[in-house]
Tab-separated table of all heavy atoms in Angstrom:
chain	number	residue	atom	x	y	z
U	345	HIS	N	-15.197	-34.670	34.554
U	345	HIS	CA	-15.963	-33.786	35.408
U	345	HIS	C	-15.086	-33.310	36.564
U	345	HIS	O	-14.162	-33.977	36.952
U	345	HIS	CB	-17.173	-34.550	36.017
U	345	HIS	CG	-18.261	-34.802	35.028
U	345	HIS	ND1	-19.140	-33.835	34.590
U	345	HIS	CD2	-18.591	-35.930	34.359
U	345	HIS	CE1	-19.967	-34.349	33.688
U	345	HIS	NE2	-19.650	-35.635	33.522
U	346	VAL	N	-15.416	-32.065	37.083
U	346	VAL	CA	-14.663	-31.547	38.155
U	346	VAL	C	-15.221	-32.072	39.464
U	346	VAL	O	-16.463	-31.954	39.665
U	346	VAL	CB	-14.731	-29.956	38.165
U	346	VAL	CG1	-13.923	-29.398	39.320
U	346	VAL	CG2	-14.221	-29.432	36.823
U	347	PRO	N	-14.422	-32.594	40.383
U	347	PRO	CA	-14.941	-33.059	41.604
U	347	PRO	C	-15.647	-31.967	42.408
U	347	PRO	O	-15.275	-30.796	42.370
U	347	PRO	CB	-13.668	-33.551	42.367
U	347	PRO	CG	-12.649	-33.740	41.364
U	347	PRO	CD	-12.963	-32.730	40.281
U	348	ARG	N	-16.712	-32.351	43.054
U	348	ARG	CA	-17.477	-31.424	43.899
U	348	ARG	C	-16.633	-30.718	44.921
U	348	ARG	O	-16.773	-29.517	45.231
U	348	ARG	CB	-18.603	-32.135	44.621
U	348	ARG	CG	-19.540	-31.261	45.426
U	348	ARG	CD	-20.612	-32.119	46.046
U	348	ARG	NE	-21.559	-31.238	46.790
U	348	ARG	CZ	-21.378	-30.880	48.043
U	348	ARG	NH1	-20.298	-31.227	48.677
U	348	ARG	NH2	-22.265	-30.075	48.650
U	349	GLU	N	-15.622	-31.407	45.470
U	349	GLU	CA	-14.739	-30.869	46.530
U	349	GLU	C	-13.918	-29.686	45.940
U	349	GLU	O	-13.467	-28.823	46.735
U	349	GLU	CB	-13.813	-31.915	47.058
U	349	GLU	CG	-14.481	-33.027	47.842
U	349	GLU	CD	-15.116	-34.106	46.994
U	349	GLU	OE1	-15.074	-33.977	45.706
U	349	GLU	OE2	-15.623	-35.098	47.524
U	350	VAL	N	-13.675	-29.721	44.677
U	350	VAL	CA	-12.888	-28.669	43.998
U	350	VAL	C	-13.833	-27.576	43.444
U	350	VAL	O	-13.659	-26.360	43.606
U	350	VAL	CB	-11.984	-29.198	42.942
U	350	VAL	CG1	-11.327	-28.056	42.172
U	350	VAL	CG2	-10.957	-30.119	43.539
U	351	TYR	N	-14.862	-28.010	42.718
U	351	TYR	CA	-15.780	-27.105	41.971
U	351	TYR	C	-16.468	-26.170	42.912
U	351	TYR	O	-16.682	-25.002	42.628
U	351	TYR	CB	-16.751	-27.952	41.234
U	351	TYR	CG	-17.604	-27.113	40.253
U	351	TYR	CD1	-17.111	-26.906	38.969
U	351	TYR	CD2	-18.850	-26.634	40.620
U	351	TYR	CE1	-17.894	-26.200	38.049
U	351	TYR	CE2	-19.614	-25.888	39.696
U	351	TYR	CZ	-19.098	-25.671	38.457
U	351	TYR	OH	-19.876	-24.977	37.554
U	352	CYS	N	-16.846	-26.676	44.088
U	352	CYS	CA	-17.676	-25.849	45.031
U	352	CYS	C	-16.842	-25.020	46.002
U	352	CYS	O	-17.381	-24.178	46.712
U	352	CYS	CB	-18.603	-26.752	45.844
U	352	CYS	SG	-19.747	-27.690	44.846
U	353	LYS	N	-15.486	-25.217	45.993
U	353	LYS	CA	-14.630	-24.536	46.933
U	353	LYS	C	-13.927	-23.375	46.333
U	353	LYS	O	-13.731	-22.291	46.995
U	353	LYS	CB	-13.614	-25.511	47.609
U	353	LYS	CG	-12.748	-24.804	48.591
U	353	LYS	CD	-11.807	-25.873	49.197
U	353	LYS	CE	-10.855	-25.185	50.264
U	353	LYS	NZ	-9.929	-26.142	50.885
U	354	PHE	N	-13.488	-23.506	45.090
U	354	PHE	CA	-12.600	-22.505	44.469
U	354	PHE	C	-13.363	-21.727	43.367
U	354	PHE	O	-14.324	-22.204	42.812
U	354	PHE	CB	-11.373	-23.217	43.858
U	354	PHE	CG	-10.554	-23.982	44.793
U	354	PHE	CD1	-10.610	-25.388	44.801
U	354	PHE	CD2	-9.782	-23.371	45.771
U	354	PHE	CE1	-9.858	-26.137	45.678
U	354	PHE	CE2	-9.017	-24.081	46.635
U	354	PHE	CZ	-9.064	-25.492	46.588
U	355	PRO	N	-12.863	-20.471	43.074
U	355	PRO	CA	-13.466	-19.753	41.951
U	355	PRO	C	-13.165	-20.490	40.647
U	355	PRO	O	-12.141	-21.145	40.481
U	355	PRO	CB	-12.716	-18.410	41.995
U	355	PRO	CG	-11.476	-18.648	42.743
U	355	PRO	CD	-11.804	-19.742	43.749
U	356	HIS	N	-14.129	-20.450	39.737
U	356	HIS	CA	-14.045	-21.275	38.531
U	356	HIS	C	-12.989	-20.815	37.546
U	356	HIS	O	-12.637	-21.570	36.610
U	356	HIS	CB	-15.429	-21.292	37.825
U	356	HIS	CG	-16.426	-21.983	38.661
U	356	HIS	ND1	-17.788	-21.949	38.399
U	356	HIS	CD2	-16.363	-22.727	39.835
U	356	HIS	CE1	-18.481	-22.624	39.280
U	356	HIS	NE2	-17.630	-23.096	40.174
U	357	ASP	N	-12.413	-19.648	37.746
U	357	ASP	CA	-11.334	-19.219	36.839
U	357	ASP	C	-10.048	-20.032	36.948
U	357	ASP	O	-9.185	-19.998	36.078
U	357	ASP	CB	-11.045	-17.741	36.937
U	357	ASP	CG	-10.802	-17.329	38.443
U	357	ASP	OD1	-10.299	-18.170	39.218
U	357	ASP	OD2	-11.142	-16.187	38.804
U	358	ILE	N	-9.965	-20.866	37.996
U	358	ILE	CA	-8.728	-21.699	38.147
U	358	ILE	C	-8.806	-22.863	37.120
U	358	ILE	O	-7.827	-23.560	36.968
U	358	ILE	CB	-8.615	-22.248	39.564
U	358	ILE	CG1	-9.761	-23.278	39.830
U	358	ILE	CG2	-8.572	-21.180	40.567
U	358	ILE	CD1	-9.539	-24.144	41.068
U	359	LEU	N	-9.904	-23.031	36.448
U	359	LEU	CA	-10.143	-24.147	35.530
U	359	LEU	C	-10.053	-23.658	34.057
U	359	LEU	O	-10.047	-24.457	33.156
U	359	LEU	CB	-11.450	-24.819	35.757
U	359	LEU	CG	-11.756	-25.282	37.161
U	359	LEU	CD1	-13.192	-25.725	37.319
U	359	LEU	CD2	-10.806	-26.383	37.571
U	360	TYR	N	-9.909	-22.371	33.863
U	360	TYR	CA	-9.930	-21.800	32.514
U	360	TYR	C	-8.797	-22.299	31.640
U	360	TYR	O	-7.675	-22.512	32.098
U	360	TYR	CB	-9.900	-20.263	32.610
U	360	TYR	CG	-9.874	-19.657	31.255
U	360	TYR	CD1	-10.964	-19.721	30.407
U	360	TYR	CD2	-8.794	-18.874	30.786
U	360	TYR	CE1	-10.959	-19.141	29.164
U	360	TYR	CE2	-8.771	-18.265	29.564
U	360	TYR	CZ	-9.864	-18.467	28.726
U	360	TYR	OH	-9.885	-17.838	27.521
U	361	GLY	N	-9.088	-22.557	30.391
U	361	GLY	CA	-8.059	-23.009	29.439
U	361	GLY	C	-7.964	-24.487	29.286
U	361	GLY	O	-7.137	-24.961	28.519
U	362	ASN	N	-8.804	-25.272	29.964
U	362	ASN	CA	-8.886	-26.739	29.752
U	362	ASN	C	-10.082	-27.029	28.955
U	362	ASN	O	-11.236	-27.158	29.468
U	362	ASN	CB	-8.968	-27.430	31.160
U	362	ASN	CG	-7.693	-27.278	31.958
U	362	ASN	OD1	-6.753	-28.017	31.787
U	362	ASN	ND2	-7.676	-26.301	32.802
U	363	LYS	N	-9.953	-27.157	27.614
U	363	LYS	CA	-11.050	-27.194	26.700
U	363	LYS	C	-11.940	-28.396	26.881
U	363	LYS	O	-13.178	-28.357	26.582
U	363	LYS	CB	-10.533	-27.133	25.275
U	363	LYS	CG	-9.792	-25.798	24.934
U	363	LYS	CD	-9.299	-25.763	23.526
U	363	LYS	CE	-8.617	-24.463	23.201
U	363	LYS	NZ	-8.090	-24.419	21.816
U	364	GLU	N	-11.359	-29.496	27.371
U	364	GLU	CA	-12.131	-30.725	27.514
U	364	GLU	C	-12.702	-30.926	28.910
U	364	GLU	O	-13.368	-31.924	29.158
U	364	GLU	CB	-11.277	-31.942	27.153
U	364	GLU	CG	-10.639	-31.880	25.749
U	364	GLU	CD	-11.696	-31.887	24.657
U	364	GLU	OE1	-12.702	-32.568	24.848
U	364	GLU	OE2	-11.447	-31.259	23.623
U	365	LEU	N	-12.490	-30.000	29.803
U	365	LEU	CA	-12.925	-30.127	31.164
U	365	LEU	C	-14.387	-29.826	31.269
U	365	LEU	O	-14.905	-28.836	30.750
U	365	LEU	CB	-12.104	-29.186	32.091
U	365	LEU	CG	-12.121	-29.485	33.555
U	365	LEU	CD1	-11.507	-30.854	33.812
U	365	LEU	CD2	-11.375	-28.388	34.322
U	366	LEU	N	-15.069	-30.653	32.013
U	366	LEU	CA	-16.502	-30.512	32.257
U	366	LEU	C	-16.786	-29.954	33.589
U	366	LEU	O	-15.946	-29.930	34.498
U	366	LEU	CB	-17.282	-31.869	32.084
U	366	LEU	CG	-17.001	-32.605	30.736
U	366	LEU	CD1	-17.656	-33.965	30.758
U	366	LEU	CD2	-17.557	-31.775	29.580
U	367	GLY	N	-18.037	-29.542	33.891
U	367	GLY	CA	-18.379	-29.067	35.230
U	367	GLY	C	-18.737	-30.197	36.165
U	367	GLY	O	-18.241	-31.329	36.031
U	368	LEU	N	-19.650	-29.944	37.106
U	368	LEU	CA	-20.108	-30.993	37.978
U	368	LEU	C	-20.883	-31.974	37.259
U	368	LEU	O	-21.508	-31.745	36.214
U	368	LEU	CB	-20.968	-30.356	39.099
U	368	LEU	CG	-20.266	-29.686	40.253
U	368	LEU	CD1	-21.307	-29.017	41.153
U	368	LEU	CD2	-19.456	-30.690	41.070
U	369	GLU	N	-20.920	-33.241	37.831
U	369	GLU	CA	-21.856	-34.219	37.295
U	369	GLU	C	-23.333	-33.847	37.539
U	369	GLU	O	-23.587	-33.045	38.477
U	369	GLU	CB	-21.559	-35.594	37.960
U	369	GLU	CG	-20.182	-36.159	37.551
U	369	GLU	CD	-19.990	-37.531	38.088
U	369	GLU	OE1	-20.974	-38.130	38.680
U	369	GLU	OE2	-18.847	-38.060	38.056
U	370	LYS	N	-24.178	-34.269	36.703
U	370	LYS	CA	-25.599	-33.842	36.777
U	370	LYS	C	-26.240	-34.118	38.121
U	370	LYS	O	-27.084	-33.358	38.559
U	370	LYS	CB	-26.403	-34.508	35.674
U	370	LYS	CG	-26.026	-34.024	34.263
U	370	LYS	CD	-26.926	-34.669	33.217
U	370	LYS	CE	-26.517	-34.142	31.817
U	370	LYS	NZ	-27.420	-34.758	30.762
U	371	ASN	N	-25.852	-35.166	38.776
U	371	ASN	CA	-26.533	-35.501	40.045
U	371	ASN	C	-25.845	-34.865	41.264
U	371	ASN	O	-26.160	-35.197	42.397
U	371	ASN	CB	-26.505	-37.055	40.246
U	371	ASN	CG	-25.075	-37.595	40.257
U	371	ASN	OD1	-24.182	-36.946	39.867
U	371	ASN	ND2	-24.997	-38.821	40.715
U	372	GLN	N	-24.926	-33.916	41.002
U	372	GLN	CA	-24.299	-33.221	42.124
U	372	GLN	C	-24.595	-31.762	42.067
U	372	GLN	O	-24.870	-31.172	41.056
U	372	GLN	CB	-22.767	-33.434	42.042
U	372	GLN	CG	-22.374	-34.913	42.299
U	372	GLN	CD	-20.854	-35.020	42.361
U	372	GLN	OE1	-20.089	-34.152	41.989
U	372	GLN	NE2	-20.400	-36.145	42.970
U	373	SER	N	-24.487	-31.120	43.279
U	373	SER	CA	-24.643	-29.636	43.387
U	373	SER	C	-23.819	-29.186	44.520
U	373	SER	O	-23.247	-29.979	45.272
U	373	SER	CB	-26.108	-29.275	43.605
U	373	SER	OG	-26.507	-29.684	44.889
U	374	CYS	N	-23.682	-27.851	44.651
U	374	CYS	CA	-22.866	-27.271	45.719
U	374	CYS	C	-23.669	-26.985	46.952
U	374	CYS	O	-23.110	-26.415	47.904
U	374	CYS	CB	-22.191	-26.003	45.214
U	374	CYS	SG	-20.934	-26.306	43.943
U	375	SER	N	-24.980	-27.159	46.947
U	375	SER	CA	-25.756	-26.891	48.134
U	375	SER	C	-25.573	-27.922	49.204
U	375	SER	O	-25.334	-29.076	48.946
U	375	SER	CB	-27.271	-26.830	47.718
U	375	SER	OG	-27.637	-28.132	47.270
U	376	ASN	N	-25.600	-27.436	50.474
U	376	ASN	CA	-25.426	-28.297	51.651
U	376	ASN	C	-26.791	-28.785	52.101
U	376	ASN	O	-27.730	-28.021	52.313
U	376	ASN	CB	-24.725	-27.524	52.774
U	376	ASN	CG	-23.309	-27.157	52.396
U	376	ASN	OD1	-22.597	-27.961	51.765
U	376	ASN	ND2	-22.906	-25.955	52.724
U	377	HIS	N	-26.941	-30.090	52.327
U	377	HIS	CA	-28.157	-30.655	52.817
U	377	HIS	C	-28.170	-30.746	54.288
U	377	HIS	O	-27.276	-31.290	54.916
U	377	HIS	CB	-28.388	-32.059	52.200
U	377	HIS	CG	-28.435	-32.034	50.694
U	377	HIS	ND1	-29.482	-31.576	49.990
U	377	HIS	CD2	-27.502	-32.437	49.831
U	377	HIS	CE1	-29.216	-31.693	48.684
U	377	HIS	NE2	-28.030	-32.194	48.541
U	378	LYS	N	-29.175	-30.187	54.908
U	378	LYS	CA	-29.321	-30.174	56.351
U	378	LYS	C	-30.688	-30.751	56.702
U	378	LYS	O	-31.629	-30.766	55.940
U	378	LYS	CB	-29.202	-28.756	56.925
U	378	LYS	CG	-27.838	-28.160	56.648
U	378	LYS	CD	-27.719	-26.747	57.208
U	378	LYS	CE	-26.365	-26.162	56.939
U	378	LYS	NZ	-26.230	-24.804	57.532
U	379	ASN	N	-30.823	-31.121	57.986
U	379	ASN	CA	-32.141	-31.594	58.455
U	379	ASN	C	-33.086	-30.448	58.608
U	379	ASN	O	-32.718	-29.288	58.662
U	379	ASN	CB	-31.974	-32.460	59.699
U	379	ASN	CG	-31.352	-31.614	60.848
U	379	ASN	OD1	-31.741	-30.472	61.117
U	379	ASN	ND2	-30.378	-32.237	61.511
U	380	MET	N	-34.373	-30.821	58.680
U	380	MET	CA	-35.415	-29.799	58.791
U	380	MET	C	-35.282	-28.926	59.991
U	380	MET	O	-35.548	-27.694	59.920
U	380	MET	CB	-36.799	-30.495	58.791
U	380	MET	CG	-37.950	-29.512	58.765
U	380	MET	SD	-37.988	-28.520	57.235
U	380	MET	CE	-38.325	-29.781	56.027
U	381	TYR	N	-34.868	-29.497	61.092
U	381	TYR	CA	-34.737	-28.696	62.327
U	381	TYR	C	-33.675	-27.571	62.137
U	381	TYR	O	-33.922	-26.436	62.554
U	381	TYR	CB	-34.351	-29.579	63.530
U	381	TYR	CG	-34.079	-28.861	64.801
U	381	TYR	CD1	-35.167	-28.327	65.509
U	381	TYR	CD2	-32.794	-28.682	65.262
U	381	TYR	CE1	-34.927	-27.646	66.700
U	381	TYR	CE2	-32.603	-27.982	66.447
U	381	TYR	CZ	-33.655	-27.492	67.139
U	381	TYR	OH	-33.424	-26.834	68.311
U	382	SER	N	-32.568	-27.922	61.483
U	382	SER	CA	-31.542	-26.919	61.258
U	382	SER	C	-32.061	-25.800	60.367
U	382	SER	O	-31.768	-24.613	60.543
U	382	SER	CB	-30.312	-27.564	60.652
U	382	SER	OG	-29.739	-28.505	61.514
U	383	TYR	N	-32.861	-26.211	59.346
U	383	TYR	CA	-33.387	-25.159	58.462
U	383	TYR	C	-34.344	-24.269	59.199
U	383	TYR	O	-34.397	-23.057	58.946
U	383	TYR	CB	-34.105	-25.871	57.300
U	383	TYR	CG	-33.207	-26.167	56.113
U	383	TYR	CD1	-33.014	-27.457	55.677
U	383	TYR	CD2	-32.644	-25.071	55.413
U	383	TYR	CE1	-32.221	-27.706	54.552
U	383	TYR	CE2	-31.818	-25.336	54.315
U	383	TYR	CZ	-31.599	-26.654	53.909
U	383	TYR	OH	-30.830	-26.910	52.876
U	384	MET	N	-35.199	-24.854	60.012
U	384	MET	CA	-36.186	-24.001	60.730
U	384	MET	C	-35.575	-22.990	61.647
U	384	MET	O	-36.069	-21.844	61.743
U	384	MET	CB	-37.052	-24.927	61.551
U	384	MET	CG	-37.996	-25.842	60.741
U	384	MET	SD	-39.106	-24.847	59.639
U	384	MET	CE	-40.123	-24.022	60.862
U	385	LYS	N	-34.400	-23.289	62.199
U	385	LYS	CA	-33.724	-22.309	63.078
U	385	LYS	C	-33.262	-21.121	62.297
U	385	LYS	O	-33.102	-20.059	62.803
U	385	LYS	CB	-32.572	-23.009	63.807
U	385	LYS	CG	-32.925	-23.990	64.851
U	385	LYS	CD	-31.757	-24.343	65.760
U	385	LYS	CE	-30.589	-24.910	65.023
U	385	LYS	NZ	-29.496	-25.256	65.911
U	386	ILE	N	-33.053	-21.309	61.003
U	386	ILE	CA	-32.615	-20.263	60.150
U	386	ILE	C	-33.796	-19.575	59.492
U	386	ILE	O	-33.856	-18.339	59.403
U	386	ILE	CB	-31.597	-20.806	59.095
U	386	ILE	CG1	-30.318	-21.415	59.755
U	386	ILE	CG2	-31.220	-19.682	58.114
U	386	ILE	CD1	-29.407	-22.060	58.803
U	387	ILE	N	-34.692	-20.351	59.019
U	387	ILE	CA	-35.844	-19.819	58.247
U	387	ILE	C	-36.783	-18.957	59.005
U	387	ILE	O	-37.223	-17.878	58.543
U	387	ILE	CB	-36.553	-20.978	57.509
U	387	ILE	CG1	-35.629	-21.655	56.489
U	387	ILE	CG2	-37.812	-20.488	56.863
U	387	ILE	CD1	-36.235	-22.823	55.779
U	388	LEU	N	-37.147	-19.410	60.202
U	388	LEU	CA	-38.159	-18.654	60.973
U	388	LEU	C	-37.714	-17.215	61.247
U	388	LEU	O	-38.484	-16.267	60.979
U	388	LEU	CB	-38.432	-19.396	62.299
U	388	LEU	CG	-39.372	-20.567	62.191
U	388	LEU	CD1	-39.473	-21.257	63.544
U	388	LEU	CD2	-40.724	-20.167	61.681
U	389	PRO	N	-36.510	-16.944	61.717
U	389	PRO	CA	-36.069	-15.537	61.930
U	389	PRO	C	-36.114	-14.797	60.605
U	389	PRO	O	-36.411	-13.609	60.521
U	389	PRO	CB	-34.687	-15.653	62.499
U	389	PRO	CG	-34.625	-17.050	63.107
U	389	PRO	CD	-35.513	-17.898	62.254
U	390	MET	N	-35.758	-15.488	59.519
U	390	MET	CA	-35.705	-14.786	58.163
U	390	MET	C	-37.090	-14.413	57.732
U	390	MET	O	-37.325	-13.372	57.133
U	390	MET	CB	-35.034	-15.727	57.144
U	390	MET	CG	-33.559	-15.940	57.387
U	390	MET	SD	-32.806	-17.023	56.142
U	390	MET	CE	-33.107	-16.118	54.637
U	391	VAL	N	-38.126	-15.315	58.025
U	391	VAL	CA	-39.520	-15.016	57.651
U	391	VAL	C	-39.987	-13.780	58.344
U	391	VAL	O	-40.600	-12.873	57.759
U	391	VAL	CB	-40.367	-16.250	57.932
U	391	VAL	CG1	-41.857	-15.858	57.729
U	391	VAL	CG2	-40.034	-17.384	57.007
U	392	VAL	N	-39.707	-13.717	59.689
U	392	VAL	CA	-40.165	-12.555	60.431
U	392	VAL	C	-39.486	-11.269	59.919
U	392	VAL	O	-40.082	-10.217	59.686
U	392	VAL	CB	-39.746	-12.750	61.935
U	392	VAL	CG1	-40.092	-11.471	62.722
U	392	VAL	CG2	-40.555	-13.890	62.471
U	393	PHE	N	-38.216	-11.350	59.588
U	393	PHE	CA	-37.460	-10.260	59.067
U	393	PHE	C	-38.032	-9.811	57.709
U	393	PHE	O	-38.218	-8.645	57.428
U	393	PHE	CB	-36.000	-10.604	58.951
U	393	PHE	CG	-35.183	-9.506	58.285
U	393	PHE	CD1	-34.788	-8.346	59.008
U	393	PHE	CD2	-34.731	-9.611	56.979
U	393	PHE	CE1	-34.086	-7.375	58.417
U	393	PHE	CE2	-33.970	-8.613	56.373
U	393	PHE	CZ	-33.676	-7.503	57.102
Side-chain angles (χ1 to χ4, degrees):
H345 289 283
V346 181
R348 182 179 182 276
E349 292 81 357
V350 173
Y351 190 88
C352 299
K353 180 178 180 179
F354 302 106
H356 295 169
D357 49 32
I358 68 166
L359 307 172
Y360 178 65
N362 294 275
K363 297 181 179 179
E364 304 295 326
L365 197 62
L366 305 174
L368 279 175
E369 293 185 9
K370 291 183 178 180
N371 60 344
Q372 292 186 344
S373 69
C374 292
S375 60
N376 295 319
H377 300 287
K378 299 181 179 180
N379 58 48
M380 183 62 67
Y381 177 73
S382 298
Y383 271 117
M384 291 301 294
K385 289 197 301 184
I386 299 174
I387 292 175
L388 281 177
M390 291 179 63
V391 170
V392 174
F393 176 76

